[in-house]
Amino acid sequence: MGRLLLVATLAATLSGCASFHSAKISDLQHRPNHYRNHTVSIDGVVTSSWGVPLVPFRFYKVADETGEVTVLSDGRRAPVTGERVRVTGRVEDVAAIGGRAIGLHLREEDVHFKR
């Protein structure tokens, strides 16, 4: 029974890792169908950060050497302009027209601030 539990736990852990991978922002933009509804991680610098009063969401843009993407956060603290971050989140878009993603963004699941 103990071995079965160990195998089940290991399988669940590995399957969770299989859906998570690092990506360049240009990869997300050029192949949105490949990444849509998958969890990815990006590294970059925050280029802008904003929120709307009385709305629990915050937005910020992250840029790497290949492009820039908007991140939607429901966290308590959105990073400020100039901070280096590693963002893990689900790739989403508002719509797709002719195979082109409109409103491509990352829904933040976790953010790490780099020093």
Side-chain angles (χ1 to χ4, degrees):
M1 184 67 173
R3 284 186 182 205
L4 181 59
L5 182 59
L6 178 64
V7 170
T9 302
L10 184 59
T13 301
L14 291 176
S15 68
C17 293
S19 65
F20 168 82
H21 49 284
S22 291
K24 295 290 184 189
I25 293 171
S26 64
D27 294 338
L28 304 178
Q29 295 168 332
H30 292 108
R31 298 179 54 208
N33 291 334
H34 177 76
Y35 291 98
R36 184 178 294 118
N37 295 323
H38 286 83
T39 299
V40 299
S41 180
I42 60 170
D43 292 296
V45 176
V46 176
T47 58
S48 62
S49 180
W50 69 97
V52 179
L54 303 176
V55 176
F57 298 106
R58 306 246 187 287
F59 300 91
Y60 56 97
K61 289 188 179 252
V62 175
D64 66 10
E65 65 277 0
T66 68
E68 183 178 64
V69 68
T70 300
V71 178
L72 171 63
S73 171
D74 58 5
R76 279 117 341 256
R77 177 182 179 263
V80 297
T81 301
E83 282 190 295
R84 292 199 51 75
V85 293
R86 178 175 186 90
V87 180
T88 301
R90 192 166 188 84
V91 179
E92 299 178 344
D93 55 32
V94 176
I97 299 175
R100 185 163 173 84
I102 306 298
L104 183 73
H105 63 278
L106 201 62
R107 182 175 291 270
E108 178 191 280
E109 294 174 1
D110 192 25
V111 61
H112 292 282
F113 299 91
K114 296 183 172 190
R115 302 225 182 254

